[in-house]
Amino acid sequence: MAIAIADQHLLEKKRKENEDKVAEWIRKAELAVDKKDRRSGSRLVAARGSYRELSESFGQQVIDQKAQVENLKVSLRKLEQS
């Protein structure tokens, strides 16, 4: 169970890192637009989208991992009660 909990924390950390990257790419895209550099702005928006998708994927993995941890906790309690 400790490994499952550690995996959950790792996934949460990766999701947070990707959310930070999304915010960074948004900022870069806004700067490019301010400088009227549409080509760079378009590339930055595309990069932001791929980081956003990755972040959403990690978010779903966190949800799945939390469910798995809860199932392990329930199973452990049942074993302890037996």
Side-chain angles (χ1 to χ4, degrees):
M1 184 157 64
I3 292 171
I5 293 171
D7 287 346
Q8 176 183 334
H9 290 295
L10 180 61
L11 288 169
E12 289 171 343
K13 180 181 175 188
K14 286 182 179 182
R15 181 180 52 87
K16 173 69 173 116
E17 288 172 355
N18 276 285
E19 287 174 355
D20 292 344
K21 287 179 184 178
V22 167
E24 179 183 337
W25 285 109
I26 289 171
R27 185 184 60 77
K28 288 179 180 181
E30 289 171 347
L31 288 173
V33 169
D34 288 345
K35 293 180 181 178
K36 301 200 184 330
D37 184 355
R38 292 177 191 236
R39 184 178 296 162
S40 291
S42 295
R43 284 194 305 257
L44 292 167
V45 168
R48 177 202 65 173
S50 58
Y51 278 112
R52 178 171 284 157
E53 288 174 14
L54 190 57
S55 182
E56 289 171 0
S57 174
F58 280 126
Q60 184 59 49
Q61 289 178 32
V62 167
I63 291 168
D64 295 343
Q65 190 68 22
K66 283 181 180 181
Q68 185 177 11
V69 167
E70 285 304 312
N71 288 337
L72 288 171
K73 286 179 181 179
V74 168
S75 296
L76 180 60
R77 284 188 206 112
K78 286 180 181 178
L79 283 172
E80 290 173 343
Q81 291 174 355
S82 300

